[in-house]
Amino acid sequence: MALAGLTDRGARLAERWWLWPLALWLVSRLVSTAFLGAFAGVQGRSFWTPAGPGLLDYSTMWDAHWYYIVAMSGYPAELPLDDDGHVGENAWAFMPVYPMLARAIMALGLSWDAAAVLLSVAASAAFALVAYRLLQEIAPGRERFALALVLLSPVAPVLQLGYAESLFLLLLSGALLAWRLRAWEWLWVLVPIMSLTRPGGLAFALALGLWFLVRWARERDAFPPRERWMLVGLGAWSALWGFGWLIACTVVTGSIDSYLETELSWRSAYIGRQELVPFTPWPIGLEWWFGPWWPVWLVGIVAAAVALLAGPWASGVALEGRLWTIAYLVYLAAVWFPQSSTWRLLLPIFPAAAIVAALRPGWARALVLAASIALQPVWIWFCWHHIAPDWSVP
């Protein structure tokens, strides 16, 4: 009887699996809101806000203003040029799904600030649910701590700001879960939307390609031809949408260089105008930051990534989660110029939190989680809070 009672109780808890991720999400948002509210109270007058702005105004600074421009005005057909004739910063650097959805929410009578924050908060709650299911699939037994580490990470406040991160993470976690469950039909739908929310299509195509190669090498005879062709098709589909926004920008502006030149305009404040040569931005950036010591930093960063993903603790995470993390890091290595936004751009490797969840003993995990929470106000202060002149963009 007692055993039957425990079994029934376990079944009821399994049916209500969503309680844990939603409770964790609520706690995490209360923590981040408290930090953001405290900093809003001491924010001076800035380009975006008056002194001591309300929480909504404070939550829609920086690039949230570009999303506002996209929502209200769309994209320019003629690109702005700086004094040297180079393409200047413009709205094409910001993809359309997030601002268009926020604009649709404004139809409920909400202001832009309220609509943008509401969208981010709602997407973060949905992300908590889908990510929890994904983590259950790729790292059973580690899902609770892994999700806690993601939702309470140093950059977790961005999940409720006027940025596209929450929505992108929701779509990404859905795509990864569909991949894990072999629900291929969902990937045909999710990949285009995800790729027009934030850049990710090329990394996803690479992840699928790596998985194809691994399966071909390990289980060629048990790798059905139909599934092979499905992966080839989905990889090509992801790659196409990875270039989709560049193609759209080219069609509207009439210049094939317009999107890349737009993106390069943001890093020109650091290193001047340079061409994008894959895998050179990190050496160039690290040299700008650390001078002749840059090779030491580069070796250290690569060694840390390899240690995280190739160590024995990573074996408890399913191949899909590890391959996505590798593919996304390779993508960043190829195109990203390292600066203060790098911390935010690491959020998509959230499946790697399941690797950290293997830490033993328990006090070590508690220490990591406490450090993550303690670093939230540090991130807000250095990256979000604005004190002119401010080069540490979020």
Side-chain angles (χ1 to χ4, degrees):
M1 291 292 291
L3 181 59
L6 287 174
T7 302
D8 290 343
R9 182 171 180 270
R12 289 195 299 272
L13 288 175
E15 291 174 358
R16 292 180 291 175
W17 62 268
W18 46 268
L19 286 174
W20 172 260
L22 280 186
L24 182 56
W25 169 82
L26 179 60
V27 170
S28 71
R29 291 314 90 210
L30 291 174
V31 170
S32 292
T33 299
F35 286 139
L36 288 167
F39 279 99
V42 296
Q43 172 65 58
R45 183 177 179 82
S46 71
F47 173 81
W48 307 278
T49 71
L55 187 59
L56 283 179
D57 284 340
Y58 190 69
S59 298
T60 48
M61 301 196 307
W62 296 99
D63 287 349
H65 186 68
W66 281 109
Y67 284 121
Y68 169 76
I69 292 173
V70 172
M72 297 297 107
S73 306
Y75 296 93
E78 185 174 341
L79 298 179
L81 301 178
D82 61 22
D83 294 338
D84 297 323
H86 296 298
V87 174
E89 297 177 1
N90 67 85
W92 281 103
F94 302 91
M95 294 179 168
V97 173
Y98 177 81
M100 292 299 106
L101 283 178
R103 176 64 184 267
I105 294 173
M106 290 175 67
L108 300 175
L110 299 177
S111 66
W112 158 259
D113 294 344
V117 171
L118 176 61
L119 175 56
S120 293
V121 170
S124 71
F127 163 67
L129 292 169
V130 180
Y132 186 76
R133 283 287 297 113
L134 171 67
L135 291 165
Q136 281 184 317
E137 290 290 333
I138 66 172
R142 300 184 187 180
E143 63 272 10
R144 292 191 174 189
F145 178 81
L147 185 62
L149 191 58
V150 174
L151 294 180
L152 292 165
S153 67
V155 296
V158 79
L159 297 177
Q160 63 190 73
L161 302 176
Y163 274 45
E165 262 64 24
S166 289
L167 184 59
F168 178 74
L169 290 175
L170 168 61
L171 295 165
L172 172 62
S173 58
L176 291 173
L177 182 60
W179 175 13
R180 175 64 178 171
L181 298 178
R182 314 295 184 257
W184 307 120
E185 64 279 6
W186 279 100
L187 287 180
W188 296 102
V189 177
L190 288 171
V191 164
I193 304 172
M194 179 183 75
S195 300
L196 294 179
T197 302
R198 281 200 53 79
L202 293 179
F204 204 84
L206 176 59
L208 291 176
L210 292 174
W211 195 58
F212 182 99
L213 293 176
V214 170
R215 293 197 62 190
W216 182 267
R218 289 182 179 178
E219 49 184 63
R220 185 178 308 180
D221 294 336
F223 191 5
R226 183 178 180 277
E227 194 168 351
R228 297 178 198 174
W229 286 110
M230 178 69 73
L231 282 175
V232 170
L234 283 169
W237 182 245
S238 297
L240 173 64
W241 284 101
F243 288 107
W245 194 234
L246 181 151
I247 295 171
C249 187
T250 299
V251 170
V252 173
T253 65
S255 170
I256 195 171
D257 298 325
S258 54
Y259 178 70
L260 285 180
E261 288 296 312
T262 294
E263 290 288 355
L264 289 172
S265 67
W266 259 267
R267 69 184 63 173
S268 64
Y270 296 88
I271 57 173
R273 182 67 59 158
Q274 296 188 12
E275 297 295 324
L276 175 61
V277 179
F279 297 102
T280 63
W282 277 82
I284 292 171
L286 291 176
E287 184 177 18
W288 188 88
W289 286 103
F290 304 111
W293 291 97
W294 74 265
V296 176
W297 282 90
L298 183 61
V299 170
I301 291 169
V302 173
V306 171
L308 176 68
L309 293 166
W313 41 81
S315 60
V317 178
L319 188 59
E320 294 88 345
R322 285 179 283 153
L323 289 180
W324 161 253
T325 301
I326 292 169
Y328 185 76
L329 290 177
V330 169
Y331 170 76
L332 287 187
V335 303
W336 179 248
F337 176 82
Q339 35 98 345
S340 50
S341 296
T342 304
W343 307 111
R344 172 172 59 88
L345 265 73
L346 289 174
L347 270 173
I349 64 167
F350 72 90
I355 300 175
V356 182
L359 273 175
R360 296 292 185 274
W363 62 262
R365 296 195 302 277
L367 188 62
V368 169
L369 188 59
S372 292
I373 297 171
L375 286 171
Q376 282 195 32
V378 176
W379 180 83
I380 295 171
W381 174 253
F382 282 102
C383 293
W384 188 260
H385 199 77
H386 184 265
I387 301 176
D390 198 334
W391 51 268
S392 56
V393 298

